[in-house]
């Protein structure tokens, strides 16, 4: 397993436990992709066929051989300008203004461990867990180099890709499009699965056939976005949740992205994942280097469920970092939906009293604690404590909360600025705005130019002086608008600003994490507007959605689960009628749904009846008990909430000895039919006992025949059942 190079045939083979990936250096020095799929032995070179194809040109050295064309052959890193007319991974503007690009093999090296990317998030692994292949390609005319990076994590069935573009020439070049991964398939009918959405309804599932022409998703918002998640699946048309061939492509970046899939003239499929090319025109001076963010690939021959579990394992242990990668997460109560901007220091302490009594672990003070921030049209950028509102210092508030046996957490939104703020009055030139034009506002706010070190440093210092003076053990990092008016006063090269902005955010987060290694940072962008693998490198959990309605959450969390592990999903029980939908759902159902992640509350317990408060106590006890299974167990989607009357999922411990089954009834009808839910991932020969009833089943029966769900009157009832293997 790992990486092999066959000298004679010049073939690279990347092997994981269940998959193989192969490409070769051909006689002209081009890299031709040979195969990615179920693990095979031997050379897959025989798969390539060569025919004279009209209007598909030939490289000069092919001479009279008209059967060799870049327009037809599968490639590792297709570039614009060498006769490939499909979507390419790289568009370069050379120093002479030409768009030609002719990358040929110039060398390679293979080493133990996983490469890292300077200034960018990336999958990491111990030396014994991964191998790296670097292939150097060179364009002889311009002396530009592309170093293709491949990381192989055999146990996770994961292959990562990234690219370093280096200018060894004497003229400045520009990068106008850059992708880190291309998958070329020689034949087959594929479906494209993507996750679209909007604020309060992120990551909705969509499956459609790949057909002739290009279908593209992406974000031009400067963030990965609510609208399209930078993670997709290419699936054999017959693939299902539990069977069939499928491939995942996940972009490890929190800014704009572009994903294109195309069926070409010969019914070959190409999928390309990379940076958003609009507004990208990145300067590459002599000796300059540009890193294309990583794409994480996986391949499953057992359907989407296995694909998801490959990602979950990889992201949990090889992307998330810090103490909370492995530690259980505190059950928190967040002040936002409890009281929005209406809190005072004493109301927060009342919340803390209730939280402590009910068995929670942490109180989070959300938006409104700083500057003159009493509503959302002011004070962003003024990161000093509003002591008048709190009736004391933040340190005192934190102490008082700690005294009640609870941790204390705080909301921040460092990238933003309100025009009505001290910071704006002092530094109006720090915002992203085009000189001579009025900027686009979002939620009344403007965006700080985080591509600038000096801007970041000032905000960093302000925030640190708050965090240094109070025992803050959690921070929720928010970002509440899309970026427009891309312009930095610090550079003449505006085509670099969006990329540099994201690297600025990463730089800030890296410093914050280093300075407060024990602090838990939760990512957020109006809920799940920046729920991506890039953020997970800095924030091991992310607020999944501003929509806390349990029924909508079944779908949102279903979509999220295709790539991101439950340990990363911030999920809270909120009040009813729900603030986003007005829907009434029982407390029990809200609890079951929120327990599919990092659990908490988003309500004022004082407004609940004693009976409800008792129920919450019980929920928290249950969550504390099941947290190891939920955060570390294998995740199985058992139904599709888009197609079935139930939403069902289960957590199964790695040794298959424990199972937590969760079912939400999404529909109710007169004279209702019975719904059966089939489990997955159990030991077929094992005997499983259901807690509470003492009923026993074989693993095989639970998987092959399933369990009937009760029919009870009422909407959105939920069932949570725990099974332990007894034999
Ligand atoms: C965003 C977040 C919410 C809350 C508010 C505060 O919308 O997603 O959870 O923090 O901002 O303004």
């Amino acid at each position: 397993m790992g990486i092999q190079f066959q000298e004679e045939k010049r073939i690279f083979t990347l092997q994981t436990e269940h998959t193989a990936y192969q490409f070769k250096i051909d006689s002209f020095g081009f890299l031709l992709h040979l195969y990615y799929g179920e693990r095979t032995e031997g050379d897959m070179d025989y798969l390539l066929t060569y025919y004279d194809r009209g209007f598909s040109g030939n490289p000069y050295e092919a001479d009279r051989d008209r059967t060799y064309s870049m327009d037809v052959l599968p490639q590792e890193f297709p570039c614009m300008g060498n006769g490939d007319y499909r979507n390419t991974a790289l568009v370069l503007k050379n120093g002479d203004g030409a768009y030609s690009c002719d990358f040929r093999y110039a060398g390679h090296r293979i080493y133990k461990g996983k490469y890292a990317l300077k200034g960018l998030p990336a999958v990491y692994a111990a030396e014994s867990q991964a191998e790296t292949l670097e292939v150097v390609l060179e364009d002889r005319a311009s002396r530009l180099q592309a170093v293709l990076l491949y990381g192989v994590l055999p146990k996770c069935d994961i292959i990562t890709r990234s690219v370093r573009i280096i200018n060894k020439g004497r003229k400045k070049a520009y990068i106008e499009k850059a992708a880190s991964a291309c998958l070329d398939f020689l034949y087959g009918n594929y479906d494209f699965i993507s996750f679209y959405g909007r604020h309060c309804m992120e990551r909705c599932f969509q499956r459609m056939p790949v057909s002739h022409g290009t279908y593209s998703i992406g974000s031009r918002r400067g963030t990965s976005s609510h609208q399209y998640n930078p993670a997709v699946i290419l699936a054999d048309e017959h693939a299902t949740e539990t069977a069939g061939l499928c491939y995942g492509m996940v972009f490890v970046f929190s800014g704009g992205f572009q994903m294109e899939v195309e069926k070409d003239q010969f019914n070959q499929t190409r999928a390309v994942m990379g940076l958003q090319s609009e507004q990208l025109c990145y300067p590459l001076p002599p000796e300059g280097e540009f890193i294309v963010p990583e794409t994480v690939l996986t391949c499953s021959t057992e359907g989407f469920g296995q694909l998801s579990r490959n990602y979950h394992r990889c992201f949990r242990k090889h992307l998330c970092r810090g103490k909370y990668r492995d530690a259980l997460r505190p059950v928190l109560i967040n002040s936002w939906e409890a009281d929005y901007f209406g809190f005072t220091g004493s109301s927060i302490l009342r919340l803390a009293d209730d939280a402590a009594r009910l068995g929670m672990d942490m109180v989070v003070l959300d938006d409104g604690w700083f500057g003159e921030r009493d509503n959302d049209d002011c004070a962003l950028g003024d990161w000093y404590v509003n002591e008048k509102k709190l009736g004391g210092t933040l340190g005192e508030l934190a102490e008082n909360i700690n005294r009640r046996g609870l941790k204390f957490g705080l909301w921040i939104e460092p990238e933003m600025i309100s025009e009505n703020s001290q910071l704006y009055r002092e530094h109006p030139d720090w915002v992203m705005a085009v000189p001579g034009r009025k900027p686009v506002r979002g939620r009344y706010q403007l965006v700080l130019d985080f591509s600038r070190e000096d801007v970041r440093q000032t905000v960093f210092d302000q925030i640190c002086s708050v965090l240094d003076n109070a025992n803050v053990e959690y921070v929720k990092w928010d970002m509440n608008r899309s970026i427009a008016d891309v312009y930095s006063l610090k550079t003449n090269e505006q085509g670099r600003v969006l990329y540099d902005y994201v690297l600025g955010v990463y730089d800030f987060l890296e410093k914050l994490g280093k300075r407060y290694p024990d602090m838990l940072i939760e990512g957020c962008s109006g809920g799940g507007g920046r729920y991506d693998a890039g953020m997970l490198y800095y924030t091991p959990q992310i607020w999944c959605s501003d929509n806390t309605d349990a029924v909508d959450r079944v779908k949102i969390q279903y979509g999220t689960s295709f790539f991101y592990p439950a340990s990363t999903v911030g999920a809270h029980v909120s009040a009813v009628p729900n603030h986003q939908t007005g829907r009434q759902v029982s407390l029990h159902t809200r609890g079951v749904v929120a327990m599919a992640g990092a659990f908490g509350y988003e309500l004022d317990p004082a407004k609940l009846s004693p009976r409800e408060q008792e129920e919450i106590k019980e929920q928290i006890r249950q969550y504390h008990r099941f947290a190891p299974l939920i955060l570390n167990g294998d995740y199985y989607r058992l139904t599709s909430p888009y197609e079935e009357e139930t939403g069902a999922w289960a957590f199964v411990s790695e040794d298959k000895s424990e199972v937590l089954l969760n079912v939400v009834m999404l529909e109710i009808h007169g004279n209702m039919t019975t719904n059966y839910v089939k489990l997955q991932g159990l030991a077929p020969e094992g005997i499983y006992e259901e807690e509470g009833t003492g009923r026993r089943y074989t693993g095989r029966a639970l998987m092959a025949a399933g369990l009937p769900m009760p029919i009870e009157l009422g909407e959105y009832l939920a069932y949570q059942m725990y099974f332990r293997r007894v034999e």
Side-chain angles (χ1 to χ4, degrees), residues 336 341 366-367 373 411 443 476 478 480 524 526-527 543 546:
W336 185 241
F341 291 110
D366 208 278
D367 197 352
R373 179 99 165 158
W411 178 96
R443 204 194 191 196
K476 176 176 168 189
D478 212 337
N480 279 317
C524 177
W543 182 225
D546 271 349

Side-chain angles (χ1 to χ4, degrees), residues 9-84:
K9 295 190 146 185
R10 304 215 296 176
I11 290 180
F12 293 101
T13 305
L14 283 48
Q15 249 173 4
T16 70
E17 209 156 278
H18 302 100
T19 70
Y21 184 112
Q22 216 177 59
F23 61 98
K24 72 165 185 180
I25 310 160
D26 79 349
S27 53
F28 303 129
F30 293 117
L31 292 189
L32 298 184
H33 179 75
L34 297 177
Y35 176 76
Y36 185 27
E38 184 181 342
R39 190 164 158 183
T40 52
E41 312 299 334
D43 307 343
M44 306 300 278
D45 191 19
Y46 74 92
L47 290 172
L48 301 191
T49 59
Y50 298 86
Y51 294 98
D52 180 2
R53 305 290 197 181
F55 285 83
S56 290
N58 321 105
Y60 202 78
E61 303 96 303
D63 201 12
R64 298 190 63 80
D65 177 6
R66 297 196 349 189
T67 69
Y68 190 108
S69 177
M70 300 306 276
D71 197 24
V72 180
L73 289 165
Q75 295 180 50
E76 277 305 297
F77 191 58
C79 301
M80 216 265 267
N82 69 357
D84 187 345

Side-chain angles (χ1 to χ4, degrees), residues 642-703:
Y642 288 85
E643 289 165 12
E644 286 155 81
E645 291 181 334
T646 60
W649 61 94
F651 298 97
V652 180
S653 62
E654 214 178 325
D655 65 0
K656 301 181 188 295
S657 67
E658 284 185 275
V659 184
L660 184 67
L661 168 66
N662 305 273
V663 184
V664 177
M665 308 304 291
L666 297 171
E667 301 219 13
I668 184 79
H669 302 287
N671 207 5
M672 185 75 175
T673 49
T674 306
N675 280 286
Y676 290 80
V677 172
K678 291 182 182 175
L679 280 102
Q680 296 171 30
L682 312 186
E685 311 303 336
I687 308 287
Y688 289 85
E689 185 176 294
E690 184 189 347
E691 193 174 75
T693 64
R695 276 183 149 167
R696 291 185 170 197
Y697 311 85
T698 64
R700 202 185 298 282
L702 289 173
M703 292 195 288

Side-chain angles (χ1 to χ4, degrees), residues 541-584:
Q541 71 189 48
I542 298 179
W543 182 225
C544 184
S545 176
D546 271 349
N547 186 346
T548 55
D549 174 286
V551 175
D552 279 352
R553 272 293 184 115
V554 169
K555 279 192 177 159
I556 296 169
Q557 292 173 191
Y558 172 82
T560 307
S561 77
F562 277 81
F563 308 100
Y564 309 111
S567 59
T568 68
V569 176
H572 299 169
V573 172
S574 63
V576 286
N578 180 269
H579 293 190
Q580 293 81 38
T581 62
R583 193 167 6 220
Q584 297 272 0

Side-chain angles (χ1 to χ4, degrees), residues 468-538:
D468 286 345
N469 288 300
N471 186 21
V472 179
E473 295 182 75
Y474 158 109
V475 149
K476 176 176 168 189
W477 177 301
D478 212 337
M479 200 288 190
N480 279 317
R481 59 160 291 176
S482 301
I483 301 177
D485 305 291
V486 178
Y487 196 94
S488 172
L489 286 173
K490 266 280 160 88
T491 176
N492 299 324
E493 306 274 15
Q494 302 306 329
R496 65 180 296 164
V497 173
L498 277 176
Y499 177 89
D500 288 353
Y501 177 95
V502 180
L503 265 70
V505 173
Y506 291 151
D507 174 55
F508 196 125
L509 278 160
E510 183 70 28
K511 281 200 215 141
L512 197 66
K514 283 232 166 78
R515 183 158 168 151
Y516 306 101
D518 289 336
M519 194 167 73
L520 170 60
I521 310 180
E522 176 156 358
C524 177
S525 174
R530 204 158 54 180
Y531 204 127
D532 57 62
M535 285 307 284
L536 289 182
Y537 190 67
Y538 307 94

Side-chain angles (χ1 to χ4, degrees), residues 277 462 591:
S277 60
Q462 266 196 55

